Each structure stands twice: as structure tokens, then as C-alpha cells.
Amino acid sequence: MTSPPSELKRSLSLADLIIYGLVFIGPIAPFAFYGYVSSAAKGMVVLAYVVGAIAMFFTAYSYKLLSADFPLAGSVFAYARRAIGEKTGFIAGWMLVLDYILLPAAVYLAAANALHEIVPALPRWAMVLAFISAGTAINYIGVQITAVVNKLIVVVQLAILAAFVVLGLYALNHGAGAGHLTLKPLYQAHVFSIGLVFSAVSLSALSFLGFDAISTLAEETKGDSKRLIGRATLISLALAAALFVVQTWIAADLANGMAFASPDTAFYEIIAIAGGKTFSIVTAFICAMTFGLSSASVVQASISRLLYAMAREGRMPAFMSAVHPKFKTPYKSLLFVSAVSVAVAMAFLNHFDLIGILVNFGALTGFLILHVTVVVHFIIRKRSRAYVKHLACPAIGFCILAYVLYYMEPDAWLLGLSWFALGLGGYWLFVVRQRNRPKAAVPRR
């Protein structure tokens, strides 16, 4: 029996979902952002990633709880809309759109920066366009092709990460950097402060984004999607956090006393210490290809499905809810995302750090609403007495994320709140006005 034209095709297993989350997060995500996180954390990079992992664990747990009750493609938008109300759902979805719609451009720029390290003469804008074209083609065909590409990307990224860990430890034990693993990447009493740590977490959190995107595939998961989505979310986050701590700890000790030529290429400079210039060039090339393909296979897929879900509910233009008759993909929302990715990437071509902060602002704001949704849905609506998982856990997650947002840069607050105001204006224009508009009188015969 074939699926109706308006439905997405169910074809993903638990392994596919875990791999999808890992690819979206990226086992080597810190390669792209290390220089910025290290500067903000005053060298305590590992601490920034540990705190970020703790914050994201509580968020992932809230996703697990809600995805079991709402196995829908719209992520926080779908959860908040059904548990709290239409307006809250729209705001949650709108703030996540800021995350998802900027993230493809951020990943494409990361790929272009890595490739630019090898071929400086090749313009970054041309590389971004090439990656976006590849991503659009892969997603247009279907999520099954995406799953195959994901598995290849995970294998390649884990292989290059394993090589760095082995070579990095060997270099440390032979006198490079600090000469051995130290506690400095985790804690330095003379520079430590709560504000400094949470300011760094506002950047390191970007490396974790992606586990939440698994929930957008709820309507393409075969089997018990209520159970599988939550399990995949927690497993992919735990695996990524462990990999982040290992690689940044080795990198921080290798970089002891080192001044980076550029924050965009800081990790590749460290890799050169571990394995030489040739290994650094090979790694940069692999990172460029896998970052580009990972965005192609997961980031664009997620935002197109969020827009599809919002359009299906009448909260985005109707054309975004169109499903391809052959490939069963939300192809019109995908093409829209591709066009926006080009515009955003060109606008932020020389401001990679700013786009990262804005992505985090949108994501963390959406996550705050997620935690509130857990409390409203389970404690208030369902009168749950499981206070630890339905009240304490989301409350702790909310407080950590609120503190991270508090320490974000003023530019992020300005642009983030502007996006929020734009969403409120759009909601009033396209939803409230349409609802209040008097219906045309039916002419008498």
C-alpha cells in the first residue's frame, strides 16, 4: 500500500537516526569552532564542552519525553503548539527557524574555510555555492540517499579523528605542546569565572546542535517512532560529547603556548603539530568535504521538514507543505532553504563567529520553550507526579540555558530579538488578520 501524496515516506531505523544525529552534530565539529571557543574560555576548552554537554543532556531528555507523546515532524513547534497553545508553538518554531535556517550556511562556511586553507586562490563564495548545490540535489532525491551518505560521512570523520588522537598523544609524549596531558584545558584557577565559562559555552553549544533535529524525522521513522526518536537523541548526544572532550583535551595541550594565525584555522594548525603539514592538509580537505556533505545530507533536510510541518499547520506559506509525488520529499521548502542558505552565506562570508552566535540564540531560545512545554504538558495537563523527570530535569535545563543566553554578546541579543519581533509581526499579518477577516457574503441566487 503506497503512502498518500501528502505524507512522508517511513524508511529510517534506530541506527539511521543515531547516525543522522552524529552527522548533524559532527564527530569533528570542534575542528571548525575551536579557535573561537579557546579564546572565549581562556584555554579551558574542555570545561566549555563539558558544561555544554550537561546543558544539552537535559534538553535531549526533554526531547525524549515529548517525542514519545508527539511523534510528529515539527519538533518544538509541534510539541508547544499542542501542549501549550498556537501562539507559543509558533514562537518556538519561529526561533528554531533562526537556528535551522542559519545553520546550513554556517556549516557550508566551515567547509569553505577548511578548503580555503588548502587552496587560498579558490574563492570561498564559489565553494559555498558548490556545497549548497550538492546538498540540494541529495535531499531532493530522498531521505534514503541521505541515510547512505550519512554512514559514509561518520566512518570517514571517525577515521580522521582516530588518526588525530593517536598522532596527538604520540606528539605530546615526545615533547610537543605541554609535553603531556594536563588539567589546564579543564580548569585554571587564575582565569576561572562563571561568566567566562558560560560565555564560552554560548559558542561551544554550537558544536552540539543537531541532536534536536532527529525529532524532525519522526514521520519518516519505521517501527515505534515514539520510542526510537528519544533513544536516538540521547545516544547520539552522549557519543558526540565523549568525542568532543577527547579531541579538545588533546588539542588544548598540544596548543600550549601557541598563538593561532586565525581562529578559523586554529585546529588545523594544531593538527600540523600532531602529524605534520601534509596530515593537516589532508585533514582540512576531508573536513571540507564531510562538513559540506553533512550539511547536504542533514542540515537542509531538517529545516525543510520544520518548514513543511509549520506550513502544513497553516503557519508558513502553503507552498512549503508540498511533497514531491515521486521522491516523497518536501521539495519546495527544500528549494526555499537552499536559496536562503546562499543569501545568508554570502552575507556572513567574513563573519563566521557572528553567524555561530546567532544560530545558538535561536536554538537556545527554542530549547527554553521546550523545557517549559515539558512542565505544562506533563505536570499541569496530565497531572504527573513524576517530579524528577517532568519538573526538576526541565527546570535545571531551563536555568542552565537561560544563563548561557544571559552571557551572549549584545549583537546576538539585538539580532535575535529583532528576529523575534519580525516573527510576531508576521504572525499578526498572516495568521491573526486572516482569521479576523470577515468572510465574503454568499450571493443569493
Side-chain angles (χ1 to χ4, degrees):
M1 184 176 179
T2 58
S3 301
S6 61
E7 292 184 2
L8 302 175
K9 184 176 181 179
R10 293 186 178 274
S11 59
L12 300 178
S13 65
L14 174 63
D16 290 329
L17 294 173
I18 293 171
I19 292 171
Y20 180 93
L22 271 179
V23 174
F24 200 129
I25 297 171
I28 55 176
F31 282 26
F33 307 107
Y34 180 89
Y36 296 103
V37 178
S38 178
S39 176
K42 303 299 181 185
M44 295 182 292
V45 187
V46 174
L47 181 59
Y49 276 99
V50 169
V51 175
I54 293 171
M56 294 304 151
F57 169 79
F58 286 105
T59 302
Y61 189 65
S62 287
Y63 266 106
K64 178 180 184 297
L65 295 173
L66 289 170
S67 64
D69 276 27
F70 305 110
L72 301 168
S75 186
V76 181
F77 163 72
Y79 307 155
R81 186 169 185 268
R82 283 158 177 77
I84 301 178
E86 180 180 307
K87 297 182 180 65
T88 305
F90 178 82
I91 292 171
W94 182 254
M95 295 312 294
L96 273 187
V97 166
L98 177 62
D99 163 18
Y100 286 163
I101 213 160
L102 293 180
L103 192 55
V107 178
Y108 288 131
L109 284 174
N113 286 336
L115 200 55
H116 189 69
E117 174 74 359
I118 306 171
V119 191
L122 193 61
R124 285 186 296 165
W125 63 265
M127 292 184 275
V128 168
L129 290 178
F131 286 130
I132 290 176
S133 299
T136 303
I138 290 173
N139 277 298
Y140 196 92
I141 295 173
V143 74
Q144 302 98 307
I145 300 299
T146 300
V148 174
V149 174
N150 288 350
K151 292 172 183 176
L152 176 62
I153 290 171
V154 166
V155 171
V156 172
Q157 289 195 353
L158 289 177
I160 199 68
L161 180 56
F164 167 71
V165 169
V166 171
L167 291 173
L169 290 174
Y170 181 86
L172 277 173
N173 290 331
H174 287 75
H180 57 88
L181 290 175
T182 70
L183 290 177
K184 287 184 178 180
L186 184 62
Y187 181 71
Q188 298 178 40
H190 65 286
V191 296
F192 175 85
S193 73
I194 295 296
L196 182 142
V197 171
F198 277 90
S199 178
V201 171
S202 71
L203 291 168
S204 69
L206 183 60
S207 298
F208 290 98
L209 298 185
F211 69 88
D212 55 302
I214 294 174
S215 65
T216 65
L217 299 179
E219 294 177 37
E220 292 165 273
T221 301
K222 58 186 179 182
D224 186 2
S225 61
K226 293 183 177 182
R227 179 176 58 88
L228 296 181
I229 290 293
R231 288 181 61 189
T233 299
L234 289 173
I235 291 171
S236 61
L237 178 63
L239 290 173
L243 294 174
F244 291 174
V245 168
V246 170
Q247 65 191 274
T248 55
W249 205 314
I250 294 172
D253 279 328
L254 280 173
N256 185 55
M258 181 180 178
F260 301 125
S262 166
D264 290 331
T265 59
F267 210 102
Y268 304 112
E269 297 173 43
I270 297 171
I271 289 173
I273 297 175
K277 185 63 177 177
T278 300
F279 180 56
S280 177
I281 292 174
V282 170
T283 301
F285 178 77
I286 291 175
C287 288
M289 295 299 104
T290 56
F291 281 152
L293 287 176
S294 69
S295 189
S297 59
V298 291
V299 182
Q300 281 182 288
S302 295
I303 177 57
S304 63
R305 281 152 179 80
L306 175 61
L307 294 176
Y308 158 81
M310 295 182 74
R312 187 177 59 183
E313 301 286 349
R315 299 303 172 258
M316 283 289 174
F319 78 90
M320 293 186 185
S321 65
V323 176
H324 196 282
K326 178 181 179 181
F327 300 122
K328 300 299 181 184
T329 54
Y331 69 109
K332 289 188 178 180
S333 64
L334 172 64
L335 293 175
F336 173 78
V337 169
S338 301
V340 172
S341 295
V342 171
V344 171
M346 296 304 108
F348 288 91
L349 200 60
N350 298 311
H351 302 284
F352 184 60
D353 56 332
L354 182 57
I355 193 174
I357 292 173
L358 287 175
V359 167
N360 277 343
F361 188 95
L364 298 184
T365 305
F367 294 164
L368 289 177
I369 298 176
L370 174 80
H371 291 305
V372 173
T373 302
V374 171
V375 176
V376 172
H377 179 62
F378 290 101
I379 299 296
I380 298 177
R381 292 184 62 199
K382 300 183 76 172
R383 301 191 180 282
S384 168
R385 293 299 176 262
Y387 293 118
V388 173
K389 66 178 183 179
H390 292 153
L391 182 60
C393 285
I396 294 171
F398 182 96
C399 291
I400 295 175
L401 295 180
Y403 212 54
V404 174
L405 274 171
Y406 176 79
Y407 279 101
M408 276 195 172
E409 295 183 4
D411 287 346
W413 274 98
L414 177 62
L415 293 174
L417 291 177
S418 297
W419 176 261
F420 177 79
L422 182 64
L424 291 181
Y427 183 84
W428 183 79
L429 284 173
F430 298 109
V431 179
V432 177
R433 285 188 65 185
Q434 289 293 328
R435 182 188 302 148
N436 295 335
R437 182 175 295 175
K439 296 180 180 179
V442 178
R444 295 181 179 179
R445 291 175 180 259

